[in-house]
Amino acid sequence: MSGAAVAGPDGVLRCPWALSTVDYVAYHDEEWGRPVHGDDALYERLCLEAFQSGLSWITILRRREGFRAAFADFRIAKVAAFTDADQERLLADPGIIRNRAKIEATLANARVLAEWAPGELDELIWSHAPDGASRPAPATLADVPAVTEESTALSRALKKRGIRFVGPTTAYALMQACGLVNDHLADCAARDD
């Protein structure tokens, strides 16, 4: 069955995308699909998913520490205070993806989120988590959607509140990464962790 869980070198069944690099194995086993809460933590994931748009996730994953250093560990209040000089510094930083539109969106989103009440981003994102019982576990990668009604609604809700660079596909990737949905394949060992 194409796209089904695959045994890694250690014999553990995993989602096939997780086996191409050791970085992916660790991310898959320890982070992806695990619940993430807290405004700063969710802001980081939102930013990283936006930076990933048009690129492979491994590119972002391998630069994550560079992103954290460049963006003050994604502390919303600190990033919201970044100046034009900070933006120019970011555009010259080889440790991140130097895409002007994505950098501008990251800074603009921090300024919007700095005005929200503590916990408001967490509450908004998690209010779009679908009922897990209503979705069967995907058997293959072909069973995993790129967009859902919930991700489209989350994208709309975030955009309505002023958040940029978060289309339905990016919103769904965020939902997967942050544990709002469990898209580990049915036979994947991480599904039941």
Side-chain angles (χ1 to χ4, degrees):
M1 186 183 293
S2 177
V6 176
D10 58 2
V12 174
L13 287 175
R14 291 184 179 87
C15 300
W17 62 263
L19 295 173
S20 62
T21 72
V22 294
D23 297 320
Y24 268 159
V25 171
Y27 177 68
H28 170 272
D29 290 359
E30 299 164 18
E31 285 187 67
W32 192 75
R34 309 241 189 248
V36 174
H37 285 282
D39 292 345
D40 289 342
L42 288 165
Y43 169 66
E44 174 182 0
R45 301 321 191 286
L46 183 66
C47 294
L48 294 177
E49 292 296 346
F51 273 102
Q52 185 272 327
S53 183
L55 302 170
S56 68
W57 179 246
I58 196 68
T59 301
I60 304 305
L61 194 57
R62 288 182 174 159
R63 293 181 183 197
R64 184 161 50 174
E65 291 310 314
F67 276 107
R68 286 176 173 163
F71 288 99
D73 287 323
F74 291 98
R75 284 188 231 120
I76 294 168
K78 289 192 176 227
V79 179
F82 278 17
T83 64
D84 289 344
D86 289 308
Q87 182 171 314
E88 292 308 311
R89 171 185 56 81
L90 293 166
L91 286 166
D93 188 336
I96 66 169
I97 304 302
R98 294 173 287 182
N99 177 295
R100 182 176 295 278
K102 293 175 182 182
I103 290 170
E104 288 175 354
T106 300
L107 302 183
N109 290 345
R111 291 180 189 118
V112 168
L113 293 170
E115 299 298 318
W116 292 19
E120 196 169 351
L121 177 62
D122 191 300
E123 183 179 328
L124 177 79
I125 289 174
W126 278 90
S127 73
H128 289 82
D131 173 17
S134 66
R135 286 182 59 192
T140 70
L141 292 179
D143 298 328
V144 178
V147 174
T148 63
E149 288 179 31
E150 294 88 359
S151 73
T152 301
L154 175 57
S155 171
R156 263 192 234 122
L158 289 166
K159 286 179 180 179
K160 185 177 181 181
R161 299 284 307 271
I163 302 301
R164 296 166 37 187
F165 238 101
V166 61
T169 303
T170 298
Y172 193 68
L174 175 74
M175 293 171 81
Q176 291 174 305
C178 295
L180 279 75
V181 296
N182 184 352
D183 277 344
H184 285 285
L185 300 183
D187 292 338
C188 176
R191 184 162 187 91
D192 296 323
D193 285 356

